[in-house]
Coordinates of all heavy atoms in Angstrom, one line a residue:
P166 N 25.9 83.1 74.8 CA 25.3 83.4 73.5 C 24.4 84.7 73.6 O 23.9 85.0 74.7 CB 24.5 82.2 73.2 CG 24.7 81.2 74.4 CD 25.6 81.9 75.4
P167 N 24.2 85.3 72.5 CA 23.4 86.5 72.5 C 21.9 86.2 72.9 O 21.4 85.1 72.4 CB 23.5 87.1 71.1 CG 24.4 86.2 70.3 CD 24.8 85.1 71.2
S168 N 21.3 87.0 73.6 CA 19.9 86.8 74.0 C 18.9 87.6 73.2 O 17.7 87.5 73.4 CB 19.7 87.1 75.5 OG 20.1 88.5 75.7
S169 N 19.4 88.4 72.3 CA 18.6 89.2 71.4 C 19.3 89.6 70.1 O 20.5 89.4 70.0 CB 18.1 90.5 72.1 OG 19.3 91.4 72.2
Y170 N 18.6 90.1 69.2 CA 19.2 90.5 67.9 C 20.2 91.6 68.2 O 21.3 91.5 67.6 CB 18.1 91.0 66.9 CG 18.7 91.5 65.6 CD1 19.2 90.6 64.7 CD2 18.8 92.9 65.4 CE1 19.8 91.1 63.5 CE2 19.4 93.3 64.2 CZ 19.9 92.4 63.3 OH 20.4 92.9 62.1
N171 N 19.9 92.5 69.0 CA 20.9 93.6 69.3 C 22.1 93.1 69.9 O 23.2 93.6 69.6 CB 20.2 94.7 70.2 CG 19.2 95.5 69.5 OD1 19.2 95.6 68.3 ND2 18.4 96.2 70.2
N172 N 22.0 92.1 70.8 CA 23.2 91.5 71.4 C 24.0 90.8 70.3 O 25.2 90.7 70.4 CB 22.9 90.6 72.5 CG 22.4 91.3 73.8 OD1 22.7 92.5 73.9 ND2 21.8 90.6 74.7
A173 N 23.3 90.1 69.4 CA 24.0 89.3 68.4 C 24.9 90.2 67.5 O 25.9 89.8 67.0 CB 23.0 88.6 67.6
I174 N 24.4 91.4 67.2 CA 25.1 92.2 66.2 C 25.9 93.3 66.9 O 26.5 94.3 66.3 CB 24.2 92.9 65.2 CG1 23.2 93.8 65.8 CG2 23.6 91.8 64.3 CD1 22.5 94.7 64.8
A175 N 26.1 93.2 68.2 CA 26.8 94.3 69.0 C 28.2 94.4 68.6 O 28.9 93.4 68.2 CB 26.7 93.9 70.5
L176 N 28.7 95.6 68.7 CA 30.1 95.9 68.6 C 30.5 96.8 69.7 O 30.5 98.0 69.6 CB 30.4 96.5 67.2 CG 31.9 96.8 66.8 CD1 32.7 95.5 66.9 CD2 32.0 97.4 65.5
P177 N 30.8 96.2 70.9 CA 31.0 97.0 72.1 C 32.3 97.8 72.1 O 33.3 97.4 71.4 CB 31.1 95.9 73.2 CG 31.4 94.6 72.5 CD 30.9 94.8 71.1
N178 N 32.2 98.9 72.8 CA 33.4 99.8 72.9 C 34.6 99.0 73.5 O 35.7 99.4 73.2 CB 33.1 101.0 73.8 CG 32.2 102.0 73.1 OD1 32.1 102.0 71.9 ND2 31.6 102.8 73.9
K179 N 34.3 98.0 74.3 CA 35.4 97.3 74.9 C 36.4 96.7 73.9 O 37.6 96.7 74.1 CB 34.8 96.2 75.8 CG 35.8 95.5 76.7 CD 36.5 96.5 77.7 CE 35.5 97.0 78.8 NZ 36.2 97.9 79.7
I180 N 35.9 96.3 72.8 CA 36.8 95.7 71.8 C 37.8 96.8 71.2 O 38.9 96.5 71.0 CB 36.0 95.0 70.6 CG1 37.0 94.1 69.8 CG2 35.4 95.9 69.7 CD1 36.4 93.0 69.0
Y181 N 37.3 98.0 71.1 CA 38.1 99.1 70.7 C 39.2 99.4 71.7 O 40.3 99.8 71.5 CB 37.3 100.3 70.3 CG 36.6 100.1 69.0 CD1 35.2 99.8 69.0 CD2 37.2 100.1 67.8 CE1 34.5 99.6 67.9 CE2 36.5 99.9 66.6 CZ 35.1 99.6 66.7 OH 34.5 99.4 65.5
E182 N 38.7 99.3 73.0 CA 39.7 99.6 74.1 C 40.8 98.5 74.1 O 41.9 98.8 74.3 CB 38.9 99.5 75.4 CG 38.0 100.7 75.6 CD 37.1 100.6 76.9 OE1 37.4 99.7 77.7 OE2 36.2 101.4 77.0
F183 N 40.4 97.3 73.8 CA 41.4 96.2 73.8 C 42.4 96.4 72.6 O 43.6 96.2 72.7 CB 40.8 94.8 73.6 CG 40.1 94.3 74.9 CD1 40.0 95.1 76.0 CD2 39.5 93.1 74.9 CE1 39.4 94.6 77.2 CE2 38.9 92.6 76.0 CZ 38.8 93.3 77.2
I184 N 41.8 96.9 71.5 CA 42.7 97.1 70.3 C 43.6 98.3 70.6 O 44.8 98.2 70.3 CB 41.8 97.4 69.0 CG1 41.1 96.2 68.6 CG2 42.7 98.0 67.9 CD1 40.0 96.4 67.5
Q185 N 43.1 99.4 71.2 CA 44.0 100.5 71.6 C 45.1 100.1 72.6 O 46.1 100.7 72.6 CB 43.1 101.7 72.1 CG 42.3 102.3 71.0 CD 43.0 102.7 69.8 OE1 44.1 103.3 69.9 NE2 42.4 102.5 68.6
A186 N 44.8 99.1 73.4 CA 45.8 98.6 74.4 C 46.7 97.6 73.7 O 47.7 97.1 74.4 CB 45.1 97.9 75.5
K187 N 46.5 97.3 72.4 CA 47.4 96.4 71.6 C 47.4 95.0 72.2 O 48.4 94.4 72.3 CB 48.8 97.0 71.5 CG 48.8 98.2 70.5 CD 49.0 99.4 71.3 CE 49.2 100.6 70.3 NZ 48.6 101.8 71.0
L188 N 46.2 94.5 72.6 CA 46.1 93.2 73.2 C 45.7 92.2 72.1 O 45.0 92.5 71.1 CB 45.1 93.2 74.3 CG 45.4 94.1 75.5 CD1 44.2 94.1 76.4 CD2 46.6 93.6 76.2
C189 N 46.0 90.9 72.3 CA 45.5 89.8 71.6 C 44.1 89.6 72.0 O 43.8 89.6 73.2 CB 46.4 88.6 71.8 SG 45.7 87.1 71.1
I190 N 43.2 89.5 71.1 CA 41.7 89.4 71.4 C 41.2 88.0 71.3 O 41.5 87.3 70.3 CB 40.9 90.4 70.6 CG1 41.4 91.8 70.9 CG2 39.4 90.2 70.7 CD1 40.8 92.9 70.0
A191 N 40.4 87.6 72.2 CA 39.7 86.3 72.2 C 38.2 86.5 72.4 O 37.8 87.1 73.4 CB 40.3 85.3 73.3
I192 N 37.4 86.1 71.4 CA 36.0 86.4 71.4 C 35.2 85.2 71.0 O 35.7 84.2 70.4 CB 35.7 87.5 70.4 CG1 36.0 87.2 69.0 CG2 36.3 88.8 70.9 CD1 35.4 88.1 67.9
G193 N 33.9 85.2 71.3 CA 32.9 84.3 70.7 C 32.6 84.7 69.3 O 33.0 85.8 68.9
P194 N 31.8 83.9 68.6 CA 31.6 84.2 67.2 C 30.5 85.3 66.9 O 29.6 85.1 66.1 CB 31.1 82.9 66.7 CG 30.5 82.2 67.8 CD 31.3 82.6 69.0
S195 N 30.6 86.4 67.6 CA 29.7 87.5 67.3 C 30.1 88.2 65.9 O 31.3 88.5 65.7 CB 29.8 88.6 68.4 OG 29.3 88.1 69.6
P196 N 29.2 88.3 65.0 CA 29.5 88.7 63.7 C 30.4 90.0 63.5 O 31.3 90.0 62.8 CB 28.1 88.9 63.0 CG 27.2 88.1 63.8 CD 27.7 88.1 65.2
E197 N 30.0 91.1 64.2 CA 30.7 92.3 64.0 C 32.1 92.3 64.7 O 33.1 92.8 64.1 CB 29.9 93.5 64.5 CG 28.7 93.9 63.6 CD 29.2 94.2 62.2 OE1 30.1 95.0 62.0 OE2 28.6 93.6 61.3
M198 N 32.2 91.7 65.8 CA 33.5 91.5 66.5 C 34.4 90.6 65.6 O 35.6 90.8 65.5 CB 33.4 91.0 67.9 CG 32.8 92.1 68.8 SD 32.9 91.7 70.6 CE 31.6 90.5 70.7
T199 N 33.8 89.5 65.1 CA 34.5 88.6 64.2 C 35.1 89.3 63.0 O 36.2 89.1 62.6 CB 33.6 87.4 63.8 OG1 33.2 86.6 65.0 CG2 34.2 86.5 62.8
R200 N 34.3 90.2 62.4 CA 34.7 90.9 61.3 C 36.0 91.7 61.6 O 37.0 91.7 60.8 CB 33.6 91.9 60.8 CG 34.0 92.7 59.6 CD 32.9 93.7 59.2 NE 32.5 94.6 60.3 CZ 33.2 95.7 60.6 NH1 34.3 96.0 60.0 NH2 32.8 96.4 61.6
L201 N 36.0 92.4 62.7 CA 37.2 93.2 63.1 C 38.4 92.3 63.4 O 39.5 92.6 62.9 CB 36.9 94.0 64.4 CG 36.4 95.4 64.2 CD1 36.1 96.1 65.5 CD2 37.3 96.3 63.3
V202 N 38.2 91.3 64.1 CA 39.3 90.4 64.5 C 39.9 89.7 63.3 O 41.1 89.7 63.1 CB 38.8 89.3 65.5 CG1 39.9 88.2 65.7 CG2 38.5 90.0 66.9
K203 N 39.1 89.3 62.3 CA 39.6 88.7 61.1 C 40.2 89.8 60.2 O 41.3 89.5 59.6 CB 38.4 88.0 60.3 CG 38.0 86.7 60.9 CD 37.0 86.0 60.0 CE 36.6 84.7 60.6 NZ 35.6 84.0 59.7
Q204 N 39.6 90.9 60.0 CA 40.1 92.0 59.2 C 41.5 92.4 59.5 O 42.4 92.5 58.7 CB 39.2 93.2 59.2 CG 39.7 94.4 58.4 CD 38.8 95.6 58.4 OE1 37.7 95.5 59.1 NE2 39.2 96.6 57.8
Y205 N 41.8 92.5 60.8 CA 43.1 92.9 61.3 C 44.0 91.8 61.8 O 45.1 92.0 62.2 CB 43.0 94.0 62.3 CG 42.4 95.3 61.7 CD1 41.1 95.7 62.0 CD2 43.1 96.1 60.9 CE1 40.5 96.8 61.5 CE2 42.5 97.2 60.3 CZ 41.2 97.6 60.6 OH 40.7 98.7 60.1
E206 N 43.5 90.6 61.8 CA 44.2 89.4 62.3 C 44.8 89.7 63.7 O 46.0 89.5 63.9 CB 45.3 89.0 61.3 CG 44.8 88.7 59.9 CD 45.9 88.4 58.9 OE1 47.0 88.3 59.3 OE2 45.5 88.2 57.7
I207 N 43.9 90.0 64.6 CA 44.4 90.4 65.9 C 43.9 89.5 67.1 O 44.1 89.8 68.2 CB 43.9 91.8 66.3 CG1 42.4 92.0 66.1 CG2 44.6 92.8 65.4 CD1 41.8 93.3 66.5
G208 N 43.5 88.3 66.7 CA 43.1 87.4 67.8 C 42.4 86.1 67.3 O 42.5 85.8 66.1
V209 N 41.7 85.5 68.2 CA 41.1 84.2 68.0 C 39.6 84.3 68.2 O 39.1 85.1 69.0 CB 41.7 83.1 68.8 CG1 43.1 82.8 68.4 CG2 41.5 83.3 70.3
I210 N 38.8 83.4 67.5 CA 37.4 83.4 67.6 C 37.0 82.0 67.9 O 37.3 81.0 67.2 CB 36.8 83.8 66.2 CG1 37.3 85.2 65.8 CG2 35.2 83.8 66.3 CD1 37.3 85.5 64.4
A211 N 36.2 81.8 69.0 CA 35.8 80.5 69.4 C 34.7 80.0 68.4 O 34.1 80.8 67.8 CB 35.2 80.6 70.8
A212 N 34.6 78.7 68.4 CA 33.7 78.1 67.4 C 32.2 78.3 67.9 O 31.3 78.4 67.0 CB 33.9 76.6 67.4
D213 N 32.0 78.5 69.2 CA 30.6 78.8 69.7 C 30.8 79.7 70.9 O 31.9 80.1 71.2 CB 29.8 77.5 69.9 CG 30.5 76.6 70.9 OD1 31.1 77.1 71.9 OD2 30.5 75.4 70.6
F214 N 29.7 79.9 71.6 CA 29.7 80.7 72.8 C 30.0 80.0 74.1 O 29.9 80.6 75.2 CB 28.4 81.5 72.9 CG 28.3 82.6 71.8 CD1 27.5 82.3 70.7 CD2 29.0 83.8 71.9 CE1 27.4 83.3 69.7 CE2 28.9 84.7 70.9 CZ 28.1 84.5 69.8
S215 N 30.4 78.8 74.1 CA 30.7 78.0 75.3 C 32.1 78.4 75.8 O 33.0 78.7 75.1 CB 30.6 76.5 75.1 OG 31.7 76.1 74.3
A216 N 32.3 78.3 77.1 CA 33.6 78.5 77.8 C 34.6 77.5 77.3 O 35.7 77.9 77.0 CB 33.4 78.5 79.3
E217 N 34.1 76.3 77.1 CA 35.0 75.2 76.6 C 35.6 75.5 75.3 O 36.8 75.3 75.0 CB 34.3 73.9 76.6 CG 33.8 73.4 77.9 CD 32.5 74.0 78.4 OE1 31.8 74.6 77.7 OE2 32.3 73.9 79.7
S218 N 34.8 76.1 74.4 CA 35.2 76.4 73.0 C 36.3 77.5 73.1 O 37.3 77.5 72.4 CB 34.0 76.8 72.2 OG 34.4 77.2 70.9
L219 N 36.1 78.5 73.9 CA 37.0 79.6 74.0 C 38.3 79.1 74.7 O 39.4 79.4 74.2 CB 36.5 80.7 74.9 CG 37.2 82.0 74.8 CD1 37.4 82.5 73.4 CD2 36.5 83.1 75.7
V220 N 38.2 78.2 75.7 CA 39.4 77.6 76.3 C 40.2 76.8 75.3 O 41.4 76.9 75.2 CB 39.1 76.8 77.5 CG1 40.2 75.9 78.0 CG2 38.6 77.6 78.7
E221 N 39.5 76.1 74.5 CA 40.2 75.3 73.4 C 40.9 76.1 72.5 O 42.1 75.8 72.1 CB 39.1 74.4 72.7 CG 39.7 73.5 71.6 CD 38.6 72.7 70.9 OE1 37.8 72.1 71.6 OE2 38.5 72.8 69.7
R222 N 40.3 77.2 72.0 CA 40.9 78.1 71.1 C 42.1 78.8 71.7 O 43.2 78.9 71.0 CB 39.9 79.1 70.6 CG 40.3 79.9 69.4 CD 40.5 78.9 68.2 NE 41.0 79.7 67.1 CZ 42.3 79.7 66.7 NH1 43.2 79.0 67.3 NH2 42.7 80.5 65.7
I223 N 42.0 79.3 72.9 CA 43.1 80.0 73.5 C 44.3 79.0 73.8 O 45.4 79.4 73.6 CB 42.7 80.7 74.8 CG1 41.7 81.8 74.5 CG2 43.9 81.2 75.6 CD1 41.0 82.4 75.7
S224 N 43.9 77.8 74.2 CA 45.0 76.8 74.5 C 45.8 76.4 73.3 O 46.9 75.9 73.4 CB 44.3 75.5 75.1 OG 43.7 75.8 76.3
S225 N 45.2 76.6 72.1 CA 46.0 76.2 70.9 C 47.0 77.3 70.5 O 47.8 77.0 69.6 CB 45.0 76.0 69.7 OG 44.4 77.3 69.3
L226 N 47.0 78.4 71.2 CA 48.0 79.5 70.8 C 49.4 79.3 71.3 O 49.5 78.8 72.4 CB 47.5 80.8 71.3 CG 46.1 81.4 70.7 CD1 45.7 82.6 71.5 CD2 46.3 81.6 69.3
S227 N 50.3 79.6 70.5 CA 51.7 79.6 70.9 C 52.1 81.0 71.4 O 51.4 82.0 71.0 CB 52.6 79.2 69.8 OG 52.7 80.2 68.8
P228 N 53.2 81.2 72.1 CA 53.6 82.5 72.4 C 53.9 83.4 71.2 O 53.6 84.6 71.2 CB 54.9 82.3 73.2 CG 54.7 80.9 73.8 CD 54.0 80.1 72.8
E229 N 54.3 82.7 70.1 CA 54.5 83.5 68.9 C 53.2 83.9 68.2 O 53.2 85.0 67.7 CB 55.3 82.6 67.9 CG 56.7 82.2 68.3 CD 56.8 81.1 69.3 OE1 55.9 80.4 69.5 OE2 57.9 81.0 70.0
D230 N 52.2 83.1 68.3 CA 50.9 83.5 67.8 C 50.4 84.8 68.6 O 49.9 85.7 68.0 CB 49.8 82.4 68.1 CG 50.1 81.2 67.2 OD1 50.6 81.3 66.1 OD2 49.6 80.1 67.7
I231 N 50.5 84.7 69.9 CA 50.1 85.9 70.7 C 50.8 87.1 70.4 O 50.3 88.2 70.2 CB 50.1 85.5 72.2 CG1 49.2 84.4 72.5 CG2 49.9 86.8 73.1 CD1 49.4 83.8 73.9
Q232 N 52.1 87.0 70.2 CA 53.0 88.1 69.9 C 52.6 88.7 68.5 O 52.6 89.9 68.3 CB 54.5 87.8 69.9 CG 55.4 88.9 69.8 CD 55.2 90.0 70.9 OE1 54.9 89.6 72.1 NE2 55.3 91.2 70.6
S233 N 52.3 87.8 67.6 CA 51.9 88.2 66.2 C 50.6 89.0 66.3 O 50.5 90.1 65.6 CB 51.8 87.0 65.3 OG 51.3 87.4 64.0
F234 N 49.6 88.5 67.0 CA 48.4 89.2 67.2 C 48.6 90.6 67.8 O 48.0 91.6 67.4 CB 47.4 88.4 68.0 CG 46.9 87.2 67.3 CD1 46.7 86.0 68.0 CD2 46.5 87.2 65.9 CE1 46.3 84.8 67.3 CE2 46.0 86.1 65.3 CZ 45.9 84.9 66.0
K235 N 49.4 90.7 68.8 CA 49.7 91.9 69.5 C 50.4 92.9 68.5 O 50.1 94.1 68.5 CB 50.5 91.7 70.7 CG 49.7 91.0 71.8 CD 50.5 90.5 73.0 CE 51.0 91.7 73.8 NZ 51.7 91.2 75.0
Q236 N 51.3 92.4 67.7 CA 52.0 93.3 66.7 C 51.0 93.9 65.7 O 51.0 95.0 65.3 CB 53.1 92.5 66.0 CG 54.3 92.3 66.9 CD 55.0 93.6 67.3 OE1 55.2 94.5 66.6 NE2 55.3 93.7 68.6
K237 N 50.1 93.0 65.3 CA 49.1 93.4 64.3 C 48.1 94.4 64.9 O 47.5 95.3 64.2 CB 48.4 92.2 63.7 CG 49.3 91.5 62.8 CD 48.6 90.2 62.2 CE 49.7 89.4 61.4 NZ 49.1 88.2 60.9
A238 N 47.9 94.3 66.2 CA 47.0 95.2 66.9 C 47.6 96.6 67.0 O 46.8 97.6 67.0 CB 46.7 94.7 68.4
I239 N 48.9 96.8 66.9 CA 49.5 98.1 66.8 C 49.0 98.8 65.6 O 48.6 100.0 65.6 CB 51.1 98.0 66.9 CG1 51.5 97.5 68.2 CG2 51.7 99.3 66.5 CD1 53.0 97.1 68.3
F240 N 49.0 98.1 64.4 CA 48.5 98.7 63.2 C 47.0 99.0 63.3 O 46.6 100.1 62.9 CB 48.8 97.8 62.0 CG 48.1 98.2 60.7 CD1 48.7 99.3 60.0 CD2 47.0 97.6 60.3 CE1 48.0 99.7 58.8 CE2 46.4 98.0 59.1 CZ 46.9 99.0 58.4
A241 N 46.3 98.0 63.8 CA 44.8 98.2 63.9 C 44.5 99.3 64.8 O 43.5 100.0 64.5 CB 44.2 96.9 64.5
A242 N 45.2 99.6 65.8 CA 44.9 100.7 66.8 C 44.9 102.0 66.0 O 44.1 102.9 66.3 CB 46.0 100.7 67.9
G243 N 45.8 102.2 65.1 CA 45.8 103.4 64.3 C 44.6 103.5 63.3 O 44.1 104.6 63.1
E244 N 44.3 102.3 62.8 CA 43.2 102.3 61.8 C 41.8 102.5 62.4 O 40.9 103.0 61.7 CB 43.2 100.9 61.1 CG 44.4 100.7 60.2 CD 44.4 101.7 59.0 OE1 43.5 101.7 58.2 OE2 45.4 102.4 58.9
V245 N 41.6 102.2 63.6 CA 40.3 102.3 64.2 C 40.3 103.4 65.3 O 39.4 103.4 66.2 CB 39.7 101.0 64.8 CG1 39.6 100.0 63.7 CG2 40.6 100.4 65.9
S246 N 41.2 104.3 65.3 CA 41.3 105.3 66.3 C 40.4 106.5 66.1 O 39.9 106.7 65.0 CB 42.8 105.9 66.4 OG 43.0 106.6 65.2
A247 N 40.1 107.2 67.2 CA 39.2 108.3 67.1 C 39.8 109.4 66.2 O 39.1 110.1 65.5 CB 38.9 108.9 68.5
E248 N 41.1 109.5 66.3 CA 41.8 110.6 65.5 C 41.6 110.4 64.0 O 41.4 111.4 63.3 CB 43.4 110.5 65.8 CG 43.7 111.0 67.2 CD 43.5 110.0 68.3 OE1 43.3 108.8 68.0 OE2 43.4 110.4 69.5
K249 N 41.6 109.2 63.6 CA 41.4 108.9 62.2 C 39.9 109.3 61.8 O 39.7 109.9 60.7 CB 41.6 107.5 61.8 CG 41.4 107.1 60.4 CD 41.9 105.8 60.0 CE 41.7 105.6 58.5 NZ 42.3 104.4 58.0
Y250 N 39.0 108.9 62.6 CA 37.6 109.1 62.3 C 37.0 110.5 62.6 O 36.0 110.9 62.0 CB 36.7 108.0 62.9 CG 36.9 106.7 62.2 CD1 37.7 105.7 62.6 CD2 36.2 106.5 61.0 CE1 37.9 104.6 61.9 CE2 36.4 105.3 60.3 CZ 37.2 104.4 60.7 OH 37.4 103.2 60.0
N251 N 37.7 111.2 63.4 CA 37.3 112.6 63.7 C 37.3 113.4 62.4 O 36.4 114.2 62.2 CB 38.2 113.3 64.8 CG 37.9 112.8 66.2 OD1 36.8 112.2 66.4 ND2 38.8 113.0 67.1
R252 N 38.4 113.3 61.6 CA 38.5 114.0 60.4 C 37.3 113.6 59.4 O 36.7 114.5 58.7 CB 39.8 113.7 59.7 CG 40.1 114.6 58.5 CD 40.4 116.0 58.9 NE 39.6 116.9 58.0 CZ 39.5 118.2 58.2 NH1 40.0 118.8 59.3 NH2 38.8 118.9 57.4
V253 N 37.0 112.4 59.3 CA 35.9 111.9 58.5 C 34.6 112.5 58.9 O 33.8 113.0 58.1 CB 35.8 110.4 58.5 CG1 34.6 109.9 57.8 CG2 37.1 109.7 57.9
L254 N 34.3 112.5 60.2 CA 33.1 113.1 60.7 C 33.1 114.7 60.5 O 32.0 115.2 60.1 CB 32.9 112.8 62.2 CG 32.5 111.4 62.5 CD1 32.6 111.2 64.1 CD2 31.1 111.1 62.0
L255 N 34.2 115.3 60.7 CA 34.2 116.7 60.5 C 34.0 117.1 59.1 O 33.2 118.0 58.8 CB 35.6 117.3 61.0 CG 35.8 118.8 60.9 CD1 34.8 119.5 61.7 CD2 37.2 119.2 61.3
D256 N 34.6 116.4 58.2 CA 34.4 116.6 56.7 C 32.9 116.4 56.4 O 32.4 117.2 55.6 CB 35.3 115.7 55.9 CG 36.7 116.1 55.9 OD1 37.1 117.2 56.4 OD2 37.6 115.3 55.5
Y257 N 32.3 115.4 56.9 CA 30.9 115.1 56.6 C 30.0 116.3 57.1 O 29.2 116.8 56.3 CB 30.5 113.8 57.3 CG 29.0 113.6 57.2 CD1 28.4 113.1 56.0 CD2 28.1 113.9 58.3 CE1 27.1 112.9 55.9 CE2 26.8 113.6 58.2 CZ 26.3 113.2 57.0 OH 24.9 113.0 56.9
F258 N 30.2 116.8 58.3 CA 29.4 117.8 58.8 C 29.7 119.2 58.1 O 28.8 120.0 58.0 CB 29.5 117.9 60.3 CG 28.9 116.8 61.1 CD1 29.6 115.9 61.8 CD2 27.5 116.6 61.0 CE1 29.0 114.8 62.5 CE2 26.9 115.6 61.6 CZ 27.6 114.7 62.4
L259 N 30.9 119.4 57.7 CA 31.2 120.6 57.0 C 30.5 120.7 55.6 O 30.2 121.7 55.1 CB 32.7 120.8 56.8 CG 33.4 121.1 58.1 CD1 34.9 121.1 57.8 CD2 33.0 122.4 58.7
Q260 N 30.1 119.5 55.1 CA 29.4 119.4 53.8 C 27.9 119.7 53.9 O 27.3 119.9 52.9 CB 29.7 118.1 53.1 CG 31.1 117.9 52.7 CD 31.3 116.5 52.1 OE1 30.4 115.8 51.8 NE2 32.6 116.2 51.9
L261 N 27.4 119.6 55.1 CA 25.9 119.7 55.3 C 25.5 121.2 55.1 O 26.0 122.1 55.2 CB 25.5 119.2 56.7 CG 25.7 117.7 56.9 CD1 25.2 117.4 58.3 CD2 24.8 116.9 55.9

């Protein structure tokens, strides 16, 4: 479980690395990571931060579930890529 507010709302680079690797993601219920996983339907979210909860959630997956999450991660990888956001940032700074 998060030990501070900053940890609770963290959105670590590692989640983007997993998305770019087109992996099925399994996380605890951190709000920002949950938002991404739900938005793109790319993995599972444990009910709480215990290992048992995560094991339970992962154990419920079928091979088809995992393949579906990985396929959806292919789309998500393009949506959250640096290439997509570089243009947004460049346009913003050009307007300053």
Side-chain angles (χ1 to χ4, degrees):
S168 58
S169 70
Y170 177 74
N171 285 345
N172 286 344
I174 63 165
L176 186 57
N178 287 339
K179 192 60 71 182
I180 196 164
Y181 290 102
E182 292 172 13
F183 287 5
I184 292 170
Q185 292 305 318
K187 288 108 176 146
L188 297 173
C189 172
I190 296 175
I192 61 167
S195 296
E197 288 303 310
M198 290 190 284
T199 294
R200 181 183 57 77
L201 267 180
V202 170
K203 284 183 176 181
Q204 178 179 355
Y205 294 107
E206 300 176 7
I207 54 175
V209 294
I210 303 152
D213 58 41
F214 290 100
S215 69
E217 295 79 16
S218 179
L219 192 56
V220 167
E221 181 180 308
R222 193 64 185 98
I223 292 171
S224 296
S225 72
L226 295 174
S227 69
E229 294 79 18
D230 293 332
I231 295 168
Q232 190 59 38
S233 175
F234 290 137
K235 290 170 71 173
Q236 287 297 316
K237 290 175 182 176
I239 293 169
F240 172 77
E244 291 296 299
V245 299
S246 69
E248 289 78 17
K249 181 172 181 170
Y250 285 98
N251 283 344
R252 186 74 225 166
V253 172
L254 286 172
L255 181 60
D256 289 346
Y257 172 78
F258 287 116
L259 290 173
Q260 293 176 10
L261 294 179

